[in-house]
Amino acid sequence: DMGGHDTYMHKEISEQADAVDRVLRGRIDDRFATVHLGGLNLDAREARGVRRIKILGCGTSYHAGQIGAQLIEELARIPADAEPASEFRYRNPVVDPDTLYVAVSQSGETYDVLAAVQELKRKGARVLGVVNVVGSAIAREADGGTYVHAGPEVCVVSTKCFTNTVVAFALLALHLGRIRDLSVADGKRIIDGLRRLPAQISEILANEDEIKKMAAEYADAKSMMFIGRVRGFPVAREAALKLKEVSYIHAEAYPASELKHGPLALIEPAMPTVAIVPDDDLLEKNRAALEEIKARSGRILAVAHQVQEKADHTIVVPKNENELDPILMGIPLQLFAYHTALAMGRDIDKPRNLAKSVTVE
Ligand code: F6R
């Protein structure tokens, strides 16, 4: 049942305020400025012993894990990184007993992720799951974890589950942070930010008509560049993946800082750029990248907290805490991909060559 929407993708994008509300519900502990995640199976002493966190997933879940790794480093100061599960399992990785492994999956059935979890467990590692589908293979195989509570996702391309997965990582990061060195004041600041998310998501979604008009401006592109820096980079990667999957337009994501090391050669009017420009300590750096693109006559669509003079168009999104901004900045670009694909007459819920869960090698 699409509940009045023409596609599941549109329905699922539209459900995100409620979905985020659901992943937060019942978990916030205001007294200790932390959150409780029931099924983690990791007591405070064990959590303090974790020296490193390795996050494994595929596709959109991998991108959510990249944001998750940054949240964990920022809030809990535990070294963390994300890697595609498929790469990890074939490179004979060093499995370290002080590392906590986190497997991320919407379906909980992705074979590459499941195989990585099984290999890790065979070697005695502790593996948590950040999974959407309750009782799925990865959820059962993991030692503990947290559900993402996005609700059923039918469209082959993942949208609401991406957002909820990142929020679930913010909760995990806050939890780990408050067991370690994150202050009460910072814990409260993040909790207040999390509570603002659902209303801010609704605010972004209310701009759909404007985003649709902008999508029409770029629909002639054969290829698009997506750039962001640090917190903005996984957002750029995910937005590029969405555009590729549903519209079949080639899209390439780069850290904004790497532009001058090569991809700037591609910039010309026929190669528009989507730039993630949060109002944080890297704002001036990001603005400089926009200037470099403009100097080569590149068209620019910015997703930012204020109108960017160098951009041809800006989608203005509400500001949250710096750490949580990536959660919001990807949402207008889901609509951007959707409306681009719609205008091109694509089969939005079932893009060619793709399946909802990849249960084969
Ligand atoms: C992207 C997409 C895929 C999946 C990937 C992992 O829109 O749908 O990239 O994210 O196949 O799937 P899960 O999260 O089910 O493990």
Side-chain angles (χ1 to χ4, degrees), residues 18 69 102 127 135 176 207 209-210 212 225 252 274 290 296 298 300 309-310 318-319 325 330 336:
D18 287 343
V102 183
V127 187
L176 293 172
N207 270 338
D209 286 344
E210 195 197 335
K212 182 178 173 177
M225 181 71 78
E252 165 150 35
V274 174
L290 299 191
R296 275 109 188 146
I300 303 171
E309 261 175 42
K310 292 288 166 191
K319 179 86 185 84
D325 282 331
F336 180 80

Side-chain angles (χ1 to χ4, degrees), residues 10-272:
H10 193 269
K11 173 176 185 274
E12 289 158 6
I13 290 172
S14 306
E15 284 169 349
Q16 291 178 103
D18 287 343
V20 167
D21 198 53
R22 217 164 29 237
V23 68
L24 298 177
R25 203 174 301 151
R27 288 170 154 178
I28 293 174
D29 174 346
D30 285 300
R31 180 162 171 242
F32 290 106
T34 188
V35 288
H36 296 295
L37 298 170
L40 230 42
N41 282 336
L42 188 76
D43 66 30
R45 191 175 301 236
E46 289 166 329
R48 288 200 67 106
V50 171
R51 302 287 291 271
R52 187 167 273 283
I53 293 185
K54 179 73 162 182
I55 299 167
L56 302 166
C58 296
T60 289
S61 289
Y62 161 56
H63 295 153
Q66 286 192 303
I67 302 178
Q70 291 192 21
L71 281 162
I72 289 167
E73 286 212 352
E74 288 187 288
L75 300 181
R77 303 305 293 162
I78 303 171
D81 76 322
E83 184 178 342
S86 44
E87 289 286 287
F88 178 82
R89 53 181 284 248
Y90 286 115
R91 67 173 177 81
N92 191 22
V94 176
V95 174
D96 162 28
D98 298 327
T99 297
L100 177 65
Y101 295 85
V102 183
V104 195
S105 178
Q106 187 286 128
S107 60
E109 305 291 343
T110 301
Y111 186 75
D112 278 321
V113 184
L114 180 62
V117 172
Q118 288 168 336
E119 173 73 355
L120 281 165
K121 292 211 54 196
R122 193 181 64 76
K123 293 182 170 172
R126 184 190 282 260
V127 187
L128 300 185
V130 174
V131 171
N132 191 42
V133 176
V134 176
S136 55
I138 294 164
R140 279 183 277 123
E141 197 77 39
D143 296 302
T146 183
Y147 283 116
V148 163
H149 297 299
E153 196 177 62
V154 178
C155 178
V156 163
V157 303
S158 182
T159 53
K160 65 173 178 172
C161 192
F162 172 78
T163 302
N164 264 42
T165 301
V166 178
V167 175
F169 270 113
L171 298 178
L172 179 62
L174 176 57
H175 170 77
L176 293 172
R178 288 288 298 123
I179 288 172
R180 298 163 76 112
D181 296 324
L182 190 74
S183 69
V184 172
D186 273 330
K188 280 194 164 47
R189 179 175 66 78
I190 297 298
I191 287 173
D192 289 347
L194 289 167
R195 285 199 169 114
R196 288 198 298 277
L197 287 173
Q200 291 181 317
I201 291 171
S202 300
E203 219 179 294
I204 292 168
L205 296 176
N207 270 338
E208 180 167 355
D209 286 344
E210 195 197 335
I211 296 166
K212 182 178 173 177
K213 279 190 206 122
M214 290 186 196
E217 300 260 353
Y218 295 88
D220 61 327
K222 296 270 173 296
S223 184
M224 289 185 82
M225 181 71 78
F226 285 72
I227 59 168
R229 233 174 246 265
V230 190
R231 295 187 192 104
F233 178 50
V235 176
R237 293 187 90 177
E238 173 55 15
L241 178 61
K242 277 309 73 112
L243 186 69
K244 279 186 271 217
E245 287 179 304
V246 286
S247 75
Y248 317 148
I249 293 175
H250 171 252
E252 165 150 35
Y254 252 94
S257 52
E258 280 284 296
L259 264 189
K260 56 180 171 296
H261 299 292
L264 207 48
L266 294 169
I267 300 297
E268 49 132 352
M271 175 76 142

Side-chain angles (χ1 to χ4, degrees), residues 303-320:
V303 177
H305 294 120
Q306 44 189 306
V307 172
Q308 295 302 306
E309 261 175 42
K310 292 288 166 191
D312 300 276
H313 302 90
T314 306
I315 301 174
V316 177
V317 296
K319 179 86 185 84
N320 199 296

